[in-house]
Amino acid sequence: KQWYQRRVRGPKPGVIYLSRVPPYMKPNKMRNIMSQFGDIGRIFLQPEDTDVRKRRKITGGSGKKKFTEGWIEFKRKKIARAVVAALNGNIIGGKKGSYYHDDIWSMKYLPRFKWAHLTEKLAYDAAVRRKRLQTELSQVKRETSFFLEQVDKKKQITSIK
């Protein structure tokens, strides 16, 4: 007889997507708020684009770091679903004078979503950006060399005359 040992797996993690992160909320504050509901694995908040931040600072806005969207991994998917059901569309709350009191949660539970999907997407986006910058740089080099060749030709023509 063969005896099969049943693999004991831990609880399956659940991932929540935040479509909007309240202004200037940092990952530590997010972890602090969400840890009230259950154990949290990982948190990733997407920083806003550097161009947008520069424009905001130039026009007199705050220089603080902002995040546009985020993903939170709870250790148990049951807790993640319960958190979304309880918080989605509700105000963040807290003390009346707190900075985030009147902001509204906008979140969604992502079924069958693995944290690896997020890291793959981020790596792909970084590779695409790197490739785009490389092609732009090569285009600029070609234009510069063409311009310099034209200048040299013009100098030769004017020296002949």
Side-chain angles (χ1 to χ4, degrees), residues 17-70:
Y17 171 70
L18 294 167
S19 63
R20 179 183 173 280
V21 177
Y24 312 114
M25 184 176 278
K26 294 188 170 48
N28 287 338
K29 180 68 175 174
M30 184 69 71
R31 181 178 294 277
N32 187 18
I33 291 172
M34 291 296 167
S35 64
Q36 298 171 5
F37 302 102
D39 292 334
I40 294 178
R42 295 173 273 201
I43 291 180
F44 177 75
L45 300 181
Q46 179 72 41
E48 77 177 327
D49 191 33
T50 54
D51 295 334
V52 173
R53 184 173 184 211
K54 285 179 187 175
R55 213 170 335 164
R56 187 180 76 235
K57 287 171 71 173
I58 289 170
T59 58
S62 174
K64 289 183 179 180
K65 193 170 189 179
K66 270 184 151 182
F67 298 95
T68 55
E69 58 185 354

Side-chain angles (χ1 to χ4, degrees), residues 111-125:
R112 295 181 297 281
F113 186 84
K114 305 281 188 256
W115 199 260
H117 297 148
L118 177 61
T119 54
E120 286 173 8
K121 180 186 179 303
L122 293 173
Y124 173 75
D125 289 345

